[in-house]
Amino acid sequence: MSYDLFIGDKSFSSWSLRGWLLFEKFGIPVNEIMVGLYSGTMKEDLAALAPARFVPTARTPEGWVIGESIALAETLAERHPEAGLWPKDAEARIYARWLVAEMHAGFTALRGACPMQLLHQYQGFDVTDAVKADLARLDTILSHAFENFAGDGPWLFGTYSAADAFYAPVAARIAGYKLPVSDRLKAYVHAHLTDPAFRKWRKEGLEISYDPVPYAMDLPVTEWPEPV
C-alpha cells in the first residue's frame, strides 16, 4: 500500500521537493497529489487533512496524516528502517538530524531573498550581508559533515540521507541565483543538480508554464546551469 503525498508546484515549492525526495530516493511507494499552491486552492485542497495547512503533507496507508517535513522524515525512518533515511553510524545520525533541524528553522535570509525557482539562473543578483552570513554558516556545517562523515561519497554522509533531501533546495537556490560559495559547496550543488531524482522533479515542473511567473525578478537570466 502506498502513501499519499500532497505537494505544491515543482518549479517553486522547496518544501514539497524535500518531502518528495524522502519517498523517491528511498524507494517508498507514494501517490502524488498536487495542491493549488499558486492558484489559491491550497486551503480547500488540504481541508480533509486538518489540522495540516502546508505542503508537503502526507497520509499513511492507514489514513493517518503527517504534517511538517521533519515529522515526515522521522515517521518514514521509523516505519521503513531498511530504507536507510538516516546514517547507520550513531554519531553521524546525530549530526544528520542536527543539519535537518537547522535547515528547518534557520537560513531565513537565504530562503527569503532567494525563493527556489528551477526555471533559469539569474545574473547580477545582489547578495546581501545577511545572505552572505547564511552562506558562510552553510559552508561551516556542511564542511563538518564532509570532513567527518562523507568519506569518498558525494553526499553529506557518503550515501544519500534525509539530510541531503533537506539541503537539495539550498543547492537549487545557489544554482538559481549564482550565489558565491566555496568549491566544496559547488561540488555538492553539482551532485544535487545532476542527481536523476532531482532532474526528474525539475523536468516535471517545467511541463507547466506560469503567467505571471512566481517570484520573478527584474534581472537578466541564462539557462539553468546543469543538464537539461
Side-chain angles (χ1 to χ4, degrees), residues 1 3 23 26-29 61 75-85:
M1 298 178 67
Y3 294 77
F23 289 94
F26 299 99
I28 301 173
T75 300
L76 293 179
E78 179 183 82
R79 292 167 64 100
H80 304 276
E82 75 289 346
L85 273 78

Side-chain angles (χ1 to χ4, degrees), residues 63-75:
W64 306 334
V65 177
I66 313 168
E68 293 294 341
S69 299
I70 288 182
L72 178 58
E74 292 290 4
T75 300

Side-chain angles (χ1 to χ4, degrees), residues 84-161:
L85 273 78
W86 297 117
K88 292 181 180 180
D89 177 76
E91 183 182 4
R93 199 159 56 248
I94 288 172
Y95 195 61
R97 286 188 166 109
W98 174 351
L99 291 181
V100 165
E102 184 156 346
M103 178 69 259
H104 199 276
F107 302 101
T108 54
L110 173 61
R111 287 157 53 186
C114 306
M116 190 187 84
Q117 59 81 29
L118 307 181
L119 306 183
H120 41 240
Q121 184 179 75
Y122 282 112
Q123 303 296 310
F125 178 78
D126 183 20
V127 184
T128 65
D129 289 342
V131 171
K132 289 178 182 177
D134 274 356
L135 292 173
R137 176 60 181 171
L138 185 69
D139 190 271
T140 296
I141 61 174
L142 298 192
S143 292
H144 183 82
F146 283 120
E147 291 166 4
N148 292 278
F149 305 112
D152 295 329
W155 305 111
L156 295 170
F157 298 91
T159 58
Y160 199 96
S161 73

